Amino acid sequence: MLEQETNPTISKSTGLPRKRFYRARAHSNPLSDSHFPVPISPSHVDYSLHYPHFFPPADQVNCSKKIQFADIGCGFGGLLISLSTLFPEVLMIGMELRDKVTEYVKERILALRVSNPGQYQNISVVRTNSMKYIPNYFENGQLTKMFFLFPDPHFKEKNHRRRVISPHLLDEYAYVLGVGGIIYTITDVEELGEWMRSCLENHPMFEALTKEELEADPVVKLLSSATEEGQKVARNGGQTFQAVFRRIVPTS
Amino acid sequence: MEEKQIEEKETNRNVEVAPALIAVHPNQNSVAVAIGSDLRVYDLLGDCAVSLPDDSSPPFHKDSIRAIRYGANGKLFVSAGDDKVVKIWSAESWKCISAVVGAVVISKEGQHVCFADKFGVVWVVDLRDINGNQAVVDKKAAPLLAHYCSIITSLEFSPDGQFIISADRDFKIRVTVFPKGPLDGAHEIQSFCLGHTEFVSCLDFVCTVDYPQGYLVSGSGDSTVRLWDIISGSLLDTCEVGAKAGHLEFDGSDEGYSTVTDLCTIPNSTLVAVAIQSLQGIVLLNCDISAQTLSVAKVVSIKGENFVPTNLGSSSSSGLLWMVTGAANLPRFDHPSASRVKVISGFKKSSSPEAVEANVLEDDDIPGGVKMLEKLQGSASVEEKVFVTVAEAVKTAMCNLLIKKQYSVEKREFRKSTRNDKKIKQ
């Protein structure tokens, strides 16, 4: 594999991309109008680009699958990779704002698909600003799960409007999540954890999962263990704060 | 846009050019023109100019007025300006009855006033406690919904008042259920109308007696007018007004030459009047309700004057289309502000849309006549040359505000060079 020999960014032993060549600052400005293509509407999302196994470009057979899980701010892709084998028939996508990190995840998925034939075909990543463009990617009620793992805390009060979970943005997330769909959030910053829980509690279209439901959900355990960020928090013996809510029909 | 042009225009942006606005009372009792921070009203019933006493604090508008609107029942009038004040006036006594600190675009339907601020949040104020003669009361606004970090360009209510439609500069139109208790926020999104490829500049509804729900029409910087079904968000038809208006005089490097600046449905008809930058006149579109299509019915040119409308208005009773052109804060100019009002009539007479007869009225034939024009324009006649510059200035202002700047890679790197948070290599 000539490519791997000359390309230092891919490890020779595992065939997976090396993180140190894809280093990026943890913070990215969600307000800057970056230059990445945005689909005009959900019907313009190129499924054959992301999931060629399910949507072969030349094939006449029409696959009617739609993306059902979205990892908002997917980082280096840890959660997607864990979810992929847990739900092999479900299409999932990671959304990430940082260019280099998105490239890393792309390379990682490609490498995994090569080394594990038939697997990891249901996950993909796209570089986009999910706070602005979620309605461009997903139709009303399309998603069944949305993930917000260790989002940027934006500590200063004047920057609270930039938080990815906010009363206004929850309207949009409620729109793309079908009734019964679940939103998973976790953070190691206590104040942010309280903020996210409070926003969800006060929103008429979300209700909290019960303790029993949380224990029964296999995905909940992955929140703190599957991602690089989660593993770092565990290594440092930090505490995490979860808020898992279900999308409901508004009561009024 | 050429980068040199951007820089030049950026330095002129300190006081932004404010396009002239026009609004007509639903029963054509009065007509109002806003030019800069000046609000001018003419009483068409009494055939006299209205002088506005303003006892509210802050008095009048200190900065350019960005939006004016009459309420559907004709009792109230709202004005909002760059000074972040939204003023609610009685349309009968013209006393200013409330001043809320907010900003820019307004919409109103009976009991509530909605306006948007610069962060893309739409606020709502409940007017139920105010009757026309109450003295000044300070009303608190509550956040209704938000378009994340975008500029909201237009707000409209659906004809049945069930939905509020908001359009932004990021090409989106959002349809939200307007709840019984809007002060708690409008959380239920009905649909997104996605399809425009540039900022959405204006919204209106086409509806008839047979089809009261109506369809939404939107105009955009992508020089199209589109027809939508708001319940599903589906795009029903697209009309390339810029191209179809037979518009050959455009400069390839100049962006926004056929941006749709404003549109206005002619009440009790299926006609939509569209104002396009660089077009001296308006394009009349016809909406075929059953076929769900939009087509160009006629291009109405204004002959004999340089008249590129900046804003359109109509009243439900009269079937007249009112147009204004003009701007305030014009840079490097003898006249800091100028405005011209014209009216088109004749829509009612046509039985079929193909045979639309639209006549541009002479100044004397306009309701209110020369006296009204004097009040609203500031003078009965205005120099021709003024309006050539006005059209240019308004075009630039709109582009600066709504079209995203494109920087070359070198320019972007140069702009980043002032960042001070990079790790320094040891």
Side-chain angles (χ1 to χ4, degrees):
Chain A
M1 297 239 205
L2 214 61
E3 225 179 76
Q4 281 189 339
E5 276 170 29
T6 51
N7 187 356
T9 61
I10 309 283
S11 151
K12 279 193 214 150
S13 48
T14 60
L16 294 171
R18 285 195 172 112
K19 257 193 224 156
R20 72 167 187 268
F21 291 98
Y22 295 89
R23 279 275 166 252
R25 292 157 67 224
H27 177 82
S28 192
N29 186 358
L31 301 177
S32 82
D33 285 336
S34 309
H35 293 275
F36 41 78
V38 178
I40 298 174
S41 75
S43 51
H44 289 84
V45 175
D46 192 350
Y47 277 71
S48 61
L49 179 73
H50 291 288
Y51 312 101
H53 176 85
F54 290 95
F55 296 85
D59 210 322
Q60 303 290 26
V61 176
N62 241 343
C63 181
S64 63
K65 270 194 203 289
K66 292 213 155 97
I67 295 170
Q68 286 184 290
F69 294 179
D71 185 356
I72 311 299
C74 65
F76 292 93
L79 180 69
L80 281 174
I81 288 166
S82 303
L83 284 173
S84 173
T85 44
L86 216 58
F87 300 89
E89 289 301 308
V90 175
L91 295 182
M92 318 172 186
I93 198 149
M95 300 186 131
E96 173 57 51
L97 190 58
R98 295 169 285 175
D99 201 1
K100 284 211 185 94
V101 177
T102 316
E103 284 311 306
Y104 173 86
V105 181
K106 272 190 197 151
E107 296 290 331
R108 194 172 178 189
I109 293 175
L110 285 173
L112 283 170
R113 285 177 179 175
V114 166
S115 54
N116 299 279
Q119 286 187 305
Y120 302 106
Q121 294 291 343
N122 58 338
I123 55 172
S124 186
V125 68
V126 66
R127 185 190 173 211
T128 190
N129 184 343
S130 54
M131 294 163 87
K132 274 187 149 165
Y133 302 118
I134 272 189
N136 293 68
Y137 283 92
F138 310 116
E139 291 164 3
N140 187 1
Q142 181 177 329
L143 299 178
T144 52
K145 290 193 197 296
M146 278 182 97
F147 297 92
F148 297 84
L149 270 51
F150 303 97
D152 192 330
H154 291 292
F155 292 107
K156 293 186 193 169
E157 235 182 89
K158 70 173 166 101
N159 287 338
H160 283 184
R161 75 177 77 252
R162 300 190 198 178
R163 287 181 164 171
V164 72
I165 297 286
S166 75
H168 294 304
L169 282 170
L170 281 177
D171 294 348
E172 289 193 10
Y173 305 152
Y175 174 77
V176 295
L177 262 178
V179 174
I182 304 184
I183 183 169
Y184 299 83
T185 71
I186 187 172
T187 178
D188 56 335
V189 178
E190 187 169 2
E191 190 265 312
L192 179 65
E194 275 166 24
W195 162 282
M196 295 199 288
R197 173 170 289 279
S198 151
C199 286
L200 283 161
E201 269 166 3
N202 292 331
H203 197 280
M205 286 156 90
F206 288 102
E207 78 177 0
L209 259 64
T210 63
K211 208 161 161 228
E212 293 76 33
E213 287 170 321
L214 285 172
E215 268 159 31
D217 190 342
V219 171
V220 172
K221 297 169 198 53
L222 291 177
L223 295 182
S224 42
S225 61
T227 63
E228 284 77 1
E229 194 64 37
Q231 286 157 11
K232 182 165 70 171
V233 170
R235 273 200 305 274
N236 297 337
Q239 225 188 330
T240 56
F241 307 91
Q242 289 178 9
V244 182
F245 279 66
R246 175 185 298 109
R247 157 70 155 109
I248 56 170
V249 178
T251 41
S252 58
Chain B
M1 236 190 192
E2 274 288 337
E3 282 182 19
K4 271 203 195 128
Q5 274 179 302
I6 296 174
E7 278 161 43
E8 225 176 74
K9 282 154 189 174
E10 262 182 50
T11 51
N12 288 335
R13 257 178 80 187
N14 293 327
V15 187
E16 260 181 50
V17 167
L21 306 170
I22 191 165
V24 188
H25 186 277
N27 297 328
Q28 211 161 268
N29 292 355
S30 56
V31 59
V33 162
I35 177 113
S37 58
D38 200 8
L39 181 63
R40 302 171 188 167
V41 184
Y42 193 83
D43 180 347
L44 289 168
L45 280 183
D47 200 21
C48 56
V50 173
S51 64
L52 304 167
D54 195 347
D55 305 320
S56 72
S57 77
F60 294 110
H61 276 286
K62 291 211 181 82
D63 206 341
S64 310
I65 299 176
R66 289 289 169 183
I68 50 176
R69 203 67 177 259
Y70 279 91
N73 57 14
K75 289 213 171 59
L76 295 172
F77 176 86
V78 194
S79 63
D82 276 346
D83 56 353
K84 296 193 196 155
V85 176
V86 174
K87 287 172 164 292
I88 305 170
W89 310 75
S90 155
E92 283 146 13
S93 65
W94 289 104
K95 278 210 187 70
C96 179
I97 51 184
S98 185
V100 181
V101 182
V104 202
V105 185
I106 325 169
S107 179
K108 183 167 58 160
E109 193 268 315
Q111 308 303 326
H112 299 95
V113 173
C114 296
F115 53 91
D117 69 12
K118 66 179 178 184
F119 294 110
V121 181
V122 176
W123 299 81
V124 62
V125 181
D126 191 335
L127 297 174
R128 241 173 298 216
D129 316 317
I130 301 181
N131 66 48
N133 299 314
Q134 207 174 323
V136 176
V137 173
D138 261 309
K139 277 264 154 189
K140 281 238 142 85
L144 186 73
L145 57 91
H147 285 230
Y148 183 73
C149 288
S150 194
I151 296 175
I152 295 191
T153 51
S154 187
L155 285 173
E156 276 295 335
F157 279 94
S158 61
D160 56 11
Q162 265 206 305
F163 301 104
I164 178 167
I165 327 294
S166 41
D168 66 22
R169 75 109 119 149
D170 286 299
F171 326 168
K172 287 206 196 51
I173 298 170
R174 169 174 156 170
V175 180
T176 316
V177 173
F178 192 71
K180 306 261 178 329
L183 294 176
D184 293 327
H187 298 287
E188 203 181 328
I189 301 177
Q190 174 66 28
S191 70
F192 279 93
C193 298
L194 303 175
H196 277 298
T197 55
E198 249 312 336
F199 62 84
V200 182
S201 50
C202 42
L203 298 172
D204 205 348
F205 273 89
V206 180
C207 43
T208 60
V209 175
D210 306 318
Y211 196 69
Q213 277 171 292
Y215 293 124
L216 177 71
V217 267
S218 60
S220 158
D222 63 13
S223 65
T224 64
V225 172
R226 294 180 197 244
L227 191 69
W228 311 88
D229 165 20
I230 56 168
I231 305 294
S232 61
S234 26
L235 173 60
L236 301 171
D237 200 10
T238 304
C239 184
E240 307 267 353
V241 284
K244 288 192 181 148
H247 222 42
L248 298 170
E249 28 135 333
F250 66 87
D251 192 354
S253 62
D254 204 28
E255 239 179 63
Y257 59 89
S258 51
T259 293
V260 175
T261 20
D262 199 10
L263 55 78
C264 181
T265 320
I266 310 294
N268 306 317
S269 77
T270 55
L271 296 170
V272 183
V274 181
I276 307 175
Q277 274 177 357
S278 329
L279 178 68
Q280 291 176 20
I282 55 144
V283 178
L284 265 186
L285 300 182
N286 180 53
C287 172
D288 186 330
I289 299 272
S290 46
Q292 297 180 338
T293 56
L294 265 184
S295 51
V296 177
K298 193 174 174 136
V299 177
V300 182
S301 346
I302 311 256
K303 296 190 174 49
E305 304 187 31
N306 273 318
F307 189 88
V308 178
T310 51
N311 207 229
L312 306 174
S314 67
S315 76
S316 20
S317 61
S318 67
L320 293 178
L321 178 74
W322 293 73
M323 310 175 292
V324 73
T325 189
N329 308 327
L330 295 166
R332 311 182 303 248
F333 211 65
D334 300 325
H335 304 261
S337 78
S339 69
R340 179 90 174 98
V341 175
K342 291 196 82 71
V343 176
I344 297 182
S345 79
F347 306 106
K348 262 187 182 163
K349 297 178 197 157
S350 60
S351 48
S352 72
E354 286 77 48
V356 166
E357 255 182 55
N359 310 312
V360 180
L361 296 180
E362 292 300 319
D363 287 356
D364 295 321
D365 299 329
I366 300 180
V370 178
K371 215 167 142 196
M372 180 272 299
L373 289 174
E374 247 176 44
K375 170 65 181 172
L376 297 184
Q377 291 173 177
S379 68
S381 67
V382 189
E383 269 175 57
E384 289 299 311
K385 311 176 253 185
V386 173
F387 292 108
V388 177
T389 327
V390 165
E392 261 315 301
V394 170
K395 197 192 297 189
T396 310
M398 203 180 228
C399 281
N400 279 347
L401 187 67
L402 297 174
I403 294 184
K404 294 183 199 192
K405 293 199 177 44
Q406 305 280 345
Y407 293 114
S408 67
V409 180
E410 299 87 43
K411 191 89 210 287
R412 230 184 290 159
E413 291 304 314
F414 174 72
R415 286 167 67 89
K416 278 192 201 170
S417 66
T418 53
R419 259 172 57 182
N420 59 2
D421 58 344
K422 284 193 187 145
K423 285 197 179 117
I424 305 167
K425 282 201 179 137
Q426 298 296 333

